[in-house]
Amino acid sequence: MTAARSSAELCRQVLDLVGDRAEAQVTAQRGRPALTRFANSFIHQNVGEAGVSVHLKLALPDSAGGGWRVAAASTTRADAEGLTSLVDGTLAAAALRPVDPDWPGLAPSAPVPEVDHYDPATEEATPDERARRVRAFVDAGPGLRAAGYCDTDGGATAFANSAGQRAEGRSTRATIDGIHQTDESAGSGHATAARLADLDAAGVGAVAADRALRSQAAADIEPGEYEVVLEPECVATILIFLAFYGFNAKQVIEGQSGIRLGEAQFDPAVSIWDDATDPVALGVPFDADGTPKRRLDLVRAGVSAALAHDRRTARKMGTESTGHAVGESDAYGAIPSNLFLGPADASFGAGTADLIASTGRGLLVTTFNSCRILDPKTQVVTGLTRNGTFLIEDGKVRGGVKNLRFTQSFIEALAPGNVLGIAREARFADSEFGPGLVHCPAVRLGSFRFTGGARG
């Protein structure tokens, strides 16, 4: 029996236990997460597990005044006693809950896209295989101190509900992430892919080492408005903030979003979309409600075009779910989790080196850190630069500068006229905020607002 079929069987068992006592939806996941962590250029931790989790949400009909009482719970016990306890406990919790006036009902039966972001060698990767990537990363910075991790994850997810929807999928992911350090500086590198074999750990380590070495003897620079070239990690952070606080339909319903559909809020060079069906995407092609995922164009050539919905927000706004429910959607709303950014016109793309070469005076920023939203409506965020910030003069990187604090509207950062270039090369980048990987390139912006030093 395959892992996918085992997960599907768990879903069936739980639905059988619920029977006709309630409407129910079940997600079962079997996974093999593993992590190899290193510091001071030595591996100091290796952990891994093979486990299962079962999440149940059910809606109990209210016998008194009509409506539904909704509760959810999870377990990591897949034996008969564990599943029975999950069902009985969730039913008891639902009976104590008030009627949920916004319960949207279960997802109807619908076909799920046939995508398979899965590699068996990645799911079954050994500690030695991860250690080889760590060694390659460390060796790329001779004489430097390295720290970070290499992790792998993989497994199968199944979904079933009492309305007849069934979905199965499997996925894998591998990441190498770390820094090289001197006595006074640090530089970071990151790569993520669906296949461990696709990670160029030596290349990532070389980038981190180069950033660390070039950051030595960093100079002070006055705060102010600067032209910037943002590396993909910075761009990923911008997009995750926009996804969570902007294109999230729950934020719109609650009046907390600054996104205005149909308006040209972004530069016409920019398109942003979410697509779990893309060949390079990660994850499975359905959401926590069992709704099939499809491409969703959030920004088309600068125009805000769509919001991310789960079933709850879709019902409130009189539309359909876009397949973006997550486990905490009831609290946080629908969140795009397969984000992409690219040029609206392929001819607009340039190499990252070309973005730097076309900058007269500005900053090259590697990553953001400690980012916090100040105003969701305007998307003003404050944060710090980290692990490699450099001065650009006359199209050349001249040297490191000390970390700076920025206070910037992320909507205005990508506003019409401010996007001066988008790199052709795109990759997965890790957002500083939240969980979130974004497939995106480096971007050159005409103005970005720095308000002080790292301690300011």
Side-chain angles (χ1 to χ4, degrees), residues 61-378:
D62 178 51
S63 58
W68 301 85
R69 302 176 184 272
V70 181
S74 299
T75 186
T76 56
R77 291 185 57 188
D79 60 306
E81 183 180 349
L83 297 181
T84 298
S85 177
L86 171 68
V87 171
D88 291 345
T90 311
L91 283 167
L96 299 175
R97 298 291 301 273
V99 170
D100 183 349
D102 298 321
W103 171 242
L106 301 173
S109 178
V112 173
E114 294 184 5
V115 299
D116 195 22
H117 308 307
Y118 178 79
D119 173 51
T122 299
E123 180 179 356
E124 298 163 8
T126 65
D128 283 346
E129 289 175 301
R130 289 189 297 277
R132 284 197 290 272
R133 272 73 183 184
V134 171
R135 171 56 63 193
F137 183 98
V138 171
D139 287 350
L144 303 178
R145 299 188 308 277
Y149 69 90
C150 178
D151 76 339
T152 53
D153 196 3
T157 302
F159 176 93
N161 68 23
S162 50
Q165 174 64 339
R166 302 289 185 270
E168 296 180 39
R170 58 184 187 171
S171 65
T172 51
R173 179 197 51 75
T175 294
I176 181 77
D177 185 284
I179 59 172
H180 277 289
Q181 296 172 290
T182 71
D183 289 339
E184 59 180 292
S185 62
S188 61
H190 175 96
T192 291
R195 300 172 68 246
L196 179 62
D198 290 341
L199 296 186
D200 178 10
V204 173
V207 168
D210 178 64
R211 289 168 173 169
L213 292 170
R214 287 192 293 138
S215 294
Q216 294 182 104
D220 285 312
I221 192 171
E222 288 296 318
E225 302 266 345
Y226 285 89
E227 187 173 325
V228 293
V229 176
L230 301 181
E231 294 279 8
E233 271 66 40
C234 299
V235 179
T237 297
I238 290 174
L239 292 190
I240 291 294
F241 268 87
L242 287 171
F244 191 93
Y245 291 107
F247 293 100
N248 179 340
K250 188 174 189 289
Q251 296 287 327
V252 173
I253 291 169
E254 295 176 352
Q256 294 297 306
S257 170
I259 296 300
R260 301 183 296 275
L261 296 183
E263 293 191 20
Q265 293 184 272
F266 302 92
D267 195 278
V270 173
S271 286
I272 302 170
W273 65 96
D274 185 271
D275 189 5
T277 69
D278 191 289
V280 304
L282 304 171
V284 296
F286 54 92
D287 71 0
D289 288 339
T291 302
K293 293 191 174 186
R294 61 185 187 275
R295 175 170 172 141
L296 179 67
D297 290 299
L298 300 168
V299 176
R300 293 193 193 98
V303 178
S304 298
L307 302 174
H309 285 281
D310 56 19
R311 290 185 57 76
R312 189 174 290 264
T313 61
R315 180 178 184 234
K316 286 185 176 182
M317 298 188 75
T319 186
E320 296 182 350
S321 172
T322 58
H324 291 96
V326 296
E328 300 79 23
S329 282
D330 291 354
Y332 299 114
I335 302 173
S337 56
N338 293 100
L339 282 167
F340 292 76
L341 179 144
D345 181 349
S347 65
F348 189 74
T352 303
D354 297 325
L355 301 185
I356 295 170
S358 59
T359 301
R361 188 172 191 273
L363 297 174
L364 172 64
V365 185
T366 299
T367 61
F368 291 151
N369 183 49
S370 299
C371 296
R372 299 293 181 268
I373 192 83
L374 298 182
D375 180 9
K377 289 279 288 186
T378 59

